[in-house]
Amino acid sequence: MIIDPVTGAPAAIRYEGVHKSFGTNHVLRGLDLIVPRGKITAIIGRSGTGKSVTLKHVMGLLRPDRGEIFLGDVNLMQLNPKALRRVRERFGVVFQNAALFDSMDVFDNVAFPLLEHESFSSDVVRAKVTAALAQVGLSAAVHRLPSELSGGMRKRVGLARALIRDPEFLLYDEPTTGLDPILSAAMDELIYETQQARPALTSVIISHDMKAVLAIADKVAFLVDGRVVHEGTPEYFAQSDDALIRQFLAGSLDGPMKV
Amino acid sequence: MAKASRPATDAPPERPPASLITRSIEGIGRRVLSGLEDLGRVTHILALALANLFVRPVRVRETLRMMEFVGVQSLPIILLTSAFTGAVFTLQSYRAFAMFGAQAMVGGTVGVALTRELGPTLTGLLVAGRAGSAMAAEIGAMRVSEQIDALDAMAVDPINYLVKPRIVASVLVVPMLTALFDFVGCLGSYAIGVGVLRLSRPEFMVRLRDWVDWDDIWTGLFKALVFGLIIGTVACYKGFYTTGGARGVGLATTSSVVVSSVAILISNFFIAYALP
């Protein structure tokens, strides 16, 4: 069993020497990362450093040009498309813009994964959706369309949809982007509470919200040019004297990273 | 023995400026490659949809919803166009045949033209413009707003969920609309021919019945089936590979109508050539 040196927890996901290019754009350049089981791992870095690409690889939505990705002991590179689809059923994903289905109301959006993959009766589906929406504080919005929701509400519906099948892994792609500070804090609180309520859940968050990352993450990985250049606990990052980390945390124009 | 020396720089040697002929050939080559890539992707998406045809879930409800969208919602435009097409074709044929005193042939001529050519072709073009464009826009918007990624992430095959029902619905509905177009077109022709131009009613009906045989009708319906396949596949393909936000959705929508229309007209010729 491989143990994550930062948290001491067993590895749930491992990236080993992952390279990925899109045309001439070399996005991931030998990414090595361990995501510990039952913890919140935050991936931080400037825009375009490959954070979202990193997430898409673990769901099998992208295949690396080189390198390997393990989910527990399973090498994702050796799975066929059908097996990859089964792997995806173990994930819940909260997308940057929620990615709710425009043509469905909130209830149908949240119920969608259940209706696709389970054979529950309509009463059970209703009960599960009601509980999921109550958990994210949106019981009153059950029959509203996504276009009638605010950005924060859409993200909370996205979280309810991601949680509805009780996933093993929960991936958040910039969950607070576009929200005001108060809604961001509420979303962070929700992410933290979700993790506390599910000790076995392994969460990965991509975020630029450094305050939230340092408050809720168990492990932080800092990506620069498609590689993890620093990883550690939030305390390590908060106390680090490294010029890259200081510049990124301060959001300063002065430092080794140029615009 | 001394080695041949290289220029003291790592920069690649500069290419001489391309001539007009070279640039033209490069441009043609790029377009050909891009066209081949498009053809490959269309074929791939169609093959995936066909391979999914009986894969569970079969998506009956979604297919019926799309049939309602492509078929029922296209009825007003199909009825209107078919009635006026039959009417105007009758009017023009009457003027031409009158020069030879052969007005009695109007009913049969219009009937054959409608069932073999005008019915399937105009129905195909109308459905491509109304429903094909909407399908491309819907799938394109889902692509740029990550809804298709969300389907993938939820382990739902987007081909099975989005593409298959639309292609199946188009293939089933366009022949039905074509049959309706043929019928209403003949009614429009009858109304103008007998009602306005005072053609003999029995003669109009006899010519129509004698000249239009089942081969004409089946040929038209077969064409409609092919056009339905073209409309559904092109719309889904254009939507599925949309990039570039709102502008990309607009381009995909326009491109879907243009490509479908051209493909319908070209395939119409080849089917007409192949079928007697």
Side-chain angles (χ1 to χ4, degrees):
Chain A
M1 182 189 293
I2 293 171
I3 301 294
D4 173 45
V6 175
T7 58
I13 302 167
R14 276 183 295 135
Y15 294 80
E16 292 187 358
V18 173
H19 287 256
K20 181 68 181 176
S21 297
F22 298 95
T24 56
N25 185 15
H26 200 163
V27 180
L28 298 183
R29 299 162 182 257
L31 178 83
D32 292 305
L33 175 66
I34 292 177
V35 174
R37 186 172 297 284
K39 305 288 181 189
I40 298 179
T41 300
I43 301 175
I44 61 172
R46 295 182 60 192
S47 302
T49 51
K51 302 187 297 298
S52 294
V53 172
T54 302
L55 274 198
K56 285 183 176 173
H57 272 90
V58 78
M59 289 183 286
L61 297 179
L62 292 173
R63 287 184 79 83
D65 300 331
R66 263 191 292 152
E68 290 178 310
I69 301 166
F70 293 89
L71 203 66
D73 295 328
V74 177
N75 186 344
L76 294 185
M77 301 307 98
Q78 291 173 354
L79 299 182
N80 60 30
K82 201 171 176 182
L84 268 179
R85 210 168 281 286
R86 279 200 298 274
V87 164
R88 279 183 210 139
E89 289 192 40
R90 296 160 66 186
F91 284 84
V93 186
V94 180
F95 283 86
Q96 190 173 346
N97 296 310
L100 302 179
F101 300 121
D102 302 330
S103 57
M104 300 180 189
D105 65 13
V106 166
F107 182 92
D108 288 340
N109 263 290
V110 178
F112 185 81
L114 289 178
L115 298 173
E116 283 294 318
H117 296 295
E118 313 283 359
S119 47
F120 293 135
S121 69
S122 57
D123 287 343
V124 174
V125 170
R126 187 169 301 282
K128 282 181 174 286
V129 172
T130 305
L133 287 174
Q135 192 187 341
V136 298
L138 282 176
S139 298
V142 68
H143 293 304
R144 287 163 76 174
L145 288 168
S147 56
E148 297 167 338
L149 303 176
S150 69
M153 291 167 89
R154 290 168 67 95
K155 294 203 179 194
R156 281 188 284 158
V157 175
L159 178 57
R161 184 175 70 179
L163 287 170
I164 193 80
R165 293 188 70 214
D166 213 4
E168 208 176 314
F169 303 93
L170 193 49
L171 311 180
Y172 300 87
D173 190 356
E174 303 196 17
T176 56
T177 299
L179 301 183
D180 67 50
I182 294 169
L183 281 178
S184 291
M187 190 70 192
D188 295 337
E189 183 72 21
L190 196 54
I191 293 169
Y192 184 74
E193 284 172 3
T194 302
Q195 186 66 35
Q196 294 306 306
R198 295 168 171 78
L201 182 67
T202 300
S203 300
V204 183
I205 301 177
I206 287 174
S207 184
H208 295 292
D209 184 351
M210 295 315 303
K211 193 177 152 197
V213 164
L214 297 181
I216 65 175
D218 297 297
K219 172 178 178 174
V220 182
F222 185 19
L223 251 66
V224 176
D225 292 335
R227 268 191 294 259
V228 175
V229 293
H230 288 284
E231 58 181 348
T233 60
E235 294 74 27
Y236 164 79
F237 275 80
Q239 293 162 10
S240 174
D241 289 328
D242 181 84
L244 280 171
I245 294 176
R246 300 283 8 125
Q247 184 190 0
F248 191 76
L249 293 187
S252 169
L253 290 174
D254 299 324
M257 289 185 284
K258 301 297 177 197
V259 178
Chain B
M1 191 174 150
K3 287 181 181 174
S5 63
R6 291 183 56 191
T9 171
D10 288 336
E14 275 189 25
R15 277 177 70 184
S19 68
L20 184 64
I21 295 172
T22 310
R23 284 203 305 273
S24 304
I25 292 172
E26 279 178 356
I28 292 168
R30 266 196 297 273
R31 279 170 187 271
V32 169
L33 287 176
S34 165
L36 287 174
E37 189 182 8
D38 276 348
L39 192 64
R41 282 174 163 182
V42 168
T43 310
H44 185 231
I45 210 167
L46 177 61
L48 288 176
L50 292 177
N52 261 280
L53 213 50
F54 300 107
V55 172
R56 285 172 178 269
V58 182
R59 309 279 178 202
V60 173
R61 181 184 285 191
E62 184 64 8
T63 305
L64 288 173
R65 191 179 77 81
M66 290 316 300
M67 286 176 75
E68 190 272 338
F69 173 71
V70 178
V72 178
Q73 293 187 32
S74 298
L75 279 178
I77 193 170
I78 292 291
L79 294 176
L80 203 66
T81 308
S82 55
F84 279 96
T85 301
V88 77
F89 200 58
T90 301
L91 202 62
Q92 297 294 2
S93 309
Y94 177 84
R95 288 174 184 160
F97 284 128
M99 288 192 276
F100 311 102
Q103 298 92 321
M105 292 182 175
V106 166
T109 306
V110 173
V112 171
L114 277 172
T115 50
R116 286 193 80 99
E117 297 297 336
L118 292 173
T121 309
L122 288 178
T123 302
L125 294 175
L126 289 169
V127 173
R130 199 201 73 79
S133 60
M135 287 194 283
E138 185 186 9
I139 297 178
M142 290 183 75
R143 168 62 74 195
V144 300
S145 61
E146 292 187 310
Q147 291 175 50
I148 293 180
D149 285 343
L151 283 173
D152 259 326
M154 287 186 275
V156 176
D157 182 0
I159 298 289
N160 186 288
Y161 183 74
L162 291 174
V163 175
K164 179 176 78 174
R166 282 161 176 77
I167 293 180
V168 170
S170 301
V171 167
L172 293 177
V173 164
V174 175
M176 293 183 201
L177 290 174
T178 298
L180 193 68
F181 190 110
D182 294 346
F183 178 70
V184 176
C186 287
L187 284 183
S189 173
Y190 179 89
I192 293 297
V194 177
V196 178
L197 302 173
R198 300 293 170 201
L199 292 171
S200 153
R201 180 185 168 280
E203 210 164 23
F204 185 96
M205 293 305 293
V206 166
R207 297 281 186 192
L208 187 64
R209 205 168 45 231
D210 287 352
W211 284 26
V212 179
D213 59 27
W214 281 107
D215 277 353
D216 299 318
I217 294 169
W218 289 126
T219 300
L221 294 181
F222 175 72
K223 282 182 178 179
L225 188 141
V226 173
F227 299 163
L229 189 68
I230 289 171
I231 293 163
T233 308
V234 170
C236 291
Y237 159 69
K238 288 291 177 185
F240 209 76
Y241 288 99
T242 297
T243 53
R247 185 169 175 273
V249 175
L251 287 174
T253 307
T254 309
S255 178
S256 161
V257 177
V258 172
V259 172
S260 296
S261 302
V262 171
I264 284 169
L265 295 172
I266 292 174
S267 61
N268 182 43
F269 167 77
F270 284 107
I271 297 170
Y273 189 79
L275 296 178

